[in-house]
Amino acid sequence: MTLRMKYYHNHLLCLFVLSLGLLFGCNDTSEKPTEASNTSTHPSLILTSQGVKDIRANLGNIPIFDKTLAAAQKEIDAAIKTGFDVPVPKDYSGGYSHETHKRNYILMQKAGVLYQILDNEIYANFVKDMLFAYAKQYPTLPIHPKTRSYARGKLFWQCLNDSNWLVYASQAYDCIYEYLTVEERNTLETDLFRPFADHISKDNPQFFNRVHNHATWGNAAVGMIALAMGDDALLDRALNGVQVENFDANEKDNDGGYIRKNGQKIGFYANINEPFSPDGYFTEGPYYQRYASYPFLIFAQALQNKKPEHKVFEYKDSVLLKSVNALLNLSNAKGEFFLLNDAQKGMSYYNASLISAVNITYHFGGNNPELLSIAEKQGKVTLDDSGLSVALDIAAGKAKPFDKKSIELSDGANGDEGAVGILRSDDLEVVFKYTAHGLSHGHYDKLSFALFEDGEEVVQDYGMSRYVNVERKGGGNYLKENTTWAKQSISHNTLVQNETSHFKGKYDIGSQHHSESYIFNTDNYNVQVASAKEYNAYPGTKMHRTMVIIKDGDAKPYILDILKVESEQNHQYDLPFYYLGQLIHTSFEYKKPKTPSVLGAENGYQHLYKEATGISSGDNIKLNWLLNNKFYTYSAVTSKNDELIIARIGASDPEFNLRNEPALILRKKNTKNTVFASIIESHGTYDPVSELAINAYSNIKTIAVVYDTEEYTAVRFENKAGESHLFIISNINASEEAKHAIKINNKNYQWIGSYYFK
Amino acid sequence: MTLRMKYYHNHLLCLFVLSLGLLFGCNDTSEKPTEASNTSTHPSLILTSQGVKDIRANLGNIPIFDKTLAAAQKEIDAAIKTGFDVPVPKDYSGGYSHETHKRNYILMQKAGVLYQILDNEIYANFVKDMLFAYAKQYPTLPIHPKTRSYARGKLFWQCLNDSNWLVYASQAYDCIYEYLTVEERNTLETDLFRPFADHISKDNPQFFNRVHNHATWGNAAVGMIALAMGDDALLDRALNGVQVENFDANEKDNDGGYIRKNGQKIGFYANINEPFSPDGYFTEGPYYQRYASYPFLIFAQALQNKKPEHKVFEYKDSVLLKSVNALLNLSNAKGEFFLLNDAQKGMSYYNASLISAVNITYHFGGNNPELLSIAEKQGKVTLDDSGLSVALDIAAGKAKPFDKKSIELSDGANGDEGAVGILRSDDLEVVFKYTAHGLSHGHYDKLSFALFEDGEEVVQDYGMSRYVNVERKGGGNYLKENTTWAKQSISHNTLVQNETSHFKGKYDIGSQHHSESYIFNTDNYNVQVASAKEYNAYPGTKMHRTMVIIKDGDAKPYILDILKVESEQNHQYDLPFYYLGQLIHTSFEYKKPKTPSVLGAENGYQHLYKEATGISSGDNIKLNWLLNNKFYTYSAVTSKNDELIIARIGASDPEFNLRNEPALILRKKNTKNTVFASIIESHGTYDPVSELAINAYSNIKTIAVVYDTEEYTAVRFENKAGESHLFIISNINASEEAKHAIKINNKNYQWIGSYYFK
């Protein structure tokens, strides 16, 4: 049964005389609030009574707020005119019932806020009617008919989306709380909110009692409705989890992640404590941090407003506030998040949850003026106390550029489980991953990297195999290729041994380990070094990778990549290089058969076509390609008889789920110890209008590993002008105070610090 | 031998005191002009004496001119500081000697103009020094060592580039003519210009005496140096060709085009007369028109300025002026030219030659204010009389938007050799090609089409297989895949019979025929119809294609495509559909083997991988795809057992020259007569930031050919709301006055005009 309501009654008239700064009541409503308490405690979640007064006083003089408000008003006025639908739950994401329920909670939240700010009861009535439609439907609902989730919701196929709904609906309820009669509140709380909160907590502890973005949403949902209803017992459930007698420590969710580790703490605080490192890095990666940041921060804001004694923003050395800074730093020049673990391309700090995050962090986190420039780019603010702060200070001209520099962000609750290193130089950004596994969304890609130029991917991380909310692609959910391809090591720019993924591609093993940061030294802008080690991905094999971004005079910076591998036994080593764009030229000869073959049988190899192969003569190899009208070259050291595989993604993909993008794979067979060394340059441009190709060729003449022992590895390279550079890294002493002296080719080198470069 | 000169002498000082609007002479030059004629006839090509006075008087008050001038001055000042090089000719395009000689002529032209406008002799001296360096080198030069061209130059590998050089050098010479002594002029004319002009004309009549963009450059080069030198005999050679006794009518150039047809007129006038239709369409297509438009218009301008009695702009009913309007109309919303015949993607009206074309057309062609808005977008003007006109009128606020509407442009010297039809509705643009062959750059793609949305290609024309000036790809020249793939019929969105190209892919045959325009009726914006016939591509087979762009209420317009085929015998028919983007969903089942096979052996089929195949049940088929965050669907009528081939470009491509883009091919076997009918919709959007998929599904429920006889073809389609539409076309009477009456499924339809739509 579907409830559809139209608002073609006299409320509508009010809309036409409403304008910014003009506040009045609509006197001809057919329903009236009664018993509105004089000692107002509502609104108190995202809006406060004082905040509402301040907002009303400033309307018309806070451009970014006024603009956001006008857009919200336009949207909600249109929605009121159209009417809403509360369909019977039926679909996966992308389907009608899913998308409609999703739209409804967003409309309710906005309408609630509009009611407070504009003081027009048509908005309160809209929220009330919708909530009552849900209160009528909810008691009739069975568990959602779609069975894929480990924790099925009622409105949606998974409790996660039900929690989304409640986080927003709580805010709407808080806004119209005093507009409702006591009896109306009782109906809503009894028929809708309490059973709703119970379903996503008590009935689904395997969802609620996790440390995972799912549980964070659940905790926030229950916590916010608890705050709105004034229910401290329920609030405690949100903060500290629901008590259940037994749980199965081996149970996994449908993404393959563990539900809960033995003895693990639960509830909202546990969800802050565990996944965030002291630097504010969220172990699942920025894509999911973006997703989780909304419940983290919106609930923290509500808790701070209503129960300041919790001092939630000070928890764990203010890690929630730090996390927003970390997240902004994990975006490229266009504001798009780096692709660490499961992540869809294009997600950015323009996402609505980041507007909240930036505004809340500004308001509660010491008014960092750099956040204002992000808010300016976002072009919107939250319609609440935080958004007012931002809008006022933007109007006062306080904004400063958000200056993204090279940064290392530790992973792990205690910051001792590896890190992600971002090297930035001019328009280039290198993302180097040496983190922990990243919970159930983690990929098996220790020491992988990606390269961006001016916000565009150049050497890509594939991201996840999923078309979020595109129903025709597996209901918009994770595709099976996410497991068979996107999570596997070979789909990343990192080393693969014997065609098996790191940790055998097993979450149980991978989640017990993390890489180690070795050097992160960006003191010298012209030579920035990130170095990390991984000893567990392949037992008995040590991987040590060093990425250096070098700025040499006026020319563009370039990247030196040194990957040292030591093993007890012989192995096959594959190092893929996922350049994006059109291959222009290779320095090596290759043979392209009539049709491609499939590169391998499993662990992601089944998804790669082998298009062409060459055998190295032992010379440097070069791959020159064109992307976005820029010329790039990859110059790599090889050994004689190394295989050079030109590959393309897309094999074993019966439904065309994968993108058919290229890769070059360097393959060494029967090798114990080796060093992969290469340089990546962005050296030229092409203009299709003038048809001029400028600096189409690499500037690197030669690159060679000139020294390699347990203690030191040295790489020398020479450019076309004949200028030679030498980079030496100490493999065993990362101290910046250590003194080193070695002899290479009969020449002595002495230096202090973890590396030498000249 | 290389001449390199530095300008670190006292001329440089003058640069630092120069500023816009301040004019003075540099008194400390070491060389002085003598005998400057008082009855000045120079400059007289692109600048006139009066023009120079007017420019000087307006400097500082004509922003777009001032900005262009400042940029030119900055560029030339830097070049003077660096010095120039006149290297020994050696390379193909993209190589050092090629690019340097190319840069030199551009520098000379600009420096000459700067001398006139700024009256500073340092610029004149720069031109003089460079010309003398060439005058010293030229007599020593053999034919260029690279052998690929049918007409080798001396500075460059082909006479074409030598002609480019002379077109620019003539302008530079004209600008400094009076700065030089008589003796100096004699040296330059004797050692450089006359032998240079002879080489590209007398010595290479197979280049000069053509009707082809090559010859146009040659004619303009000789004509402009003739005007600069005041040599009427040489001017006559430019206008009417060089007289040679014998020529071989079967000789071809290295693109496979005929050098010259028997009895064909030659020279500049012939080159205006033949390739331009009365509508101004240039038969080679817009990419080459852009290239040829510079010599056409710059020489016409010079001729008009110096010899107005020729009335060159009035020639053939002002076709040169009309051609610029046609060319601008052959660009998409981003200003990029449609890809008709050989064409590189991304070429647009931002190209320098279009700046000249727009300015000259404005100045000499009646001051159409819409051209000013193009000039504004270009952001530059020519530094001459024409550019001054444009700049003055932009400054006076006279610019109006250039409103591109649906338009049909006839092909052929008399406008009776087919046409190209552009249908425009909202953001969609359909390019429908039913032209003549297009000389040696023509593709075998009768009745093909391409679709653009908001300036982005949606259903593509592959363009040419060439990376212009990217030396690493075949010297920047045409790749062999241009012949084996890009020119072939199967690489286009048109019908292919029995896996052979139109006209057997033979230029000799194709150049004898053209398609016929049948209907072009865009009177009703909501139903715009272009229809054309092709009876010669496959002897014994008649093709009749109708493209209709339909705008139905507020929704986006969509395209109805009806291709009727009649033949005397059974054939295999393939209709490829080159959508760009990620396949999301097909309505039909297909099987994707482990590895792709190659689709065919020749005629372009060898370059397609067959990735998957399905067999039609006889129902409509749908292909839904995502491109640029927009959802598109192709819905097509099929017959039971039609083959559905999912293909990808890239087979038989040993050097990775091709782009690996997808196609869907509908294949009918053993068929005489049939109708292909389909609808293409742009119906939805995806937002990677909000992750919302809006209207991801096609709005078309069914499409069917409900009537098909020799006289009429009717297609009915229904949308999801149950609204049904019927389109009927008269196949034999295109008159808009004709009365029609037919019965379809027992219902009578009557109408007046070439089609019925309701």
Side-chain angles (χ1 to χ4, degrees), chain A residues 600 603 638:
Chain A
N603 304 321
T638 64

Side-chain angles (χ1 to χ4, degrees), chain B residues 508-568:
Chain B
D508 313 29
I509 305 173
S511 57
Q512 291 167 26
H513 298 287
H514 56 83
S515 305
E516 297 284 355
S517 171
Y518 180 64
I519 300 171
F520 191 81
N521 185 335
T522 59
D523 297 345
N524 176 0
Y525 182 82
N526 295 325
V527 185
Q528 300 184 57
V529 181
S531 183
K533 297 181 178 184
E534 171 57 48
Y535 289 181
N536 299 300
Y538 297 114
T541 300
K542 297 177 178 177
M543 294 154 57
H544 176 194
R545 191 171 206 166
T546 304
M547 311 280 311
V548 190
I549 193 159
I550 300 163
K551 170 85 181 154
D552 197 358
D554 290 337
K556 279 194 187 184
Y558 53 89
I559 293 108
L560 173 63
D561 174 16
I562 304 169
L563 174 54
K564 178 178 171 68
V565 188
E566 291 174 286
S567 189
E568 294 155 9

Side-chain angles (χ1 to χ4, degrees), chain A residues 314-367:
Chain A
E314 292 171 36
Y315 185 77
K316 196 180 174 178
D317 200 16
S318 304
V319 75
L320 281 182
L321 301 169
K322 283 181 184 170
S323 76
V324 176
N325 184 58
L327 184 52
L328 293 172
N329 268 293
L330 288 166
S331 69
N332 67 29
K334 282 162 51 181
E336 293 172 351
F337 297 125
F338 296 134
L339 298 145
L340 299 164
N341 301 322
D342 284 342
Q344 182 163 279
K345 299 195 173 184
M347 180 55 72
S348 74
Y349 62 51
Y350 294 95
N351 182 273
S353 63
L354 266 286
I355 297 170
S356 295
V358 165
N359 289 199
I360 291 168
T361 303
Y362 184 78
H363 187 55
F364 293 100
N367 301 346

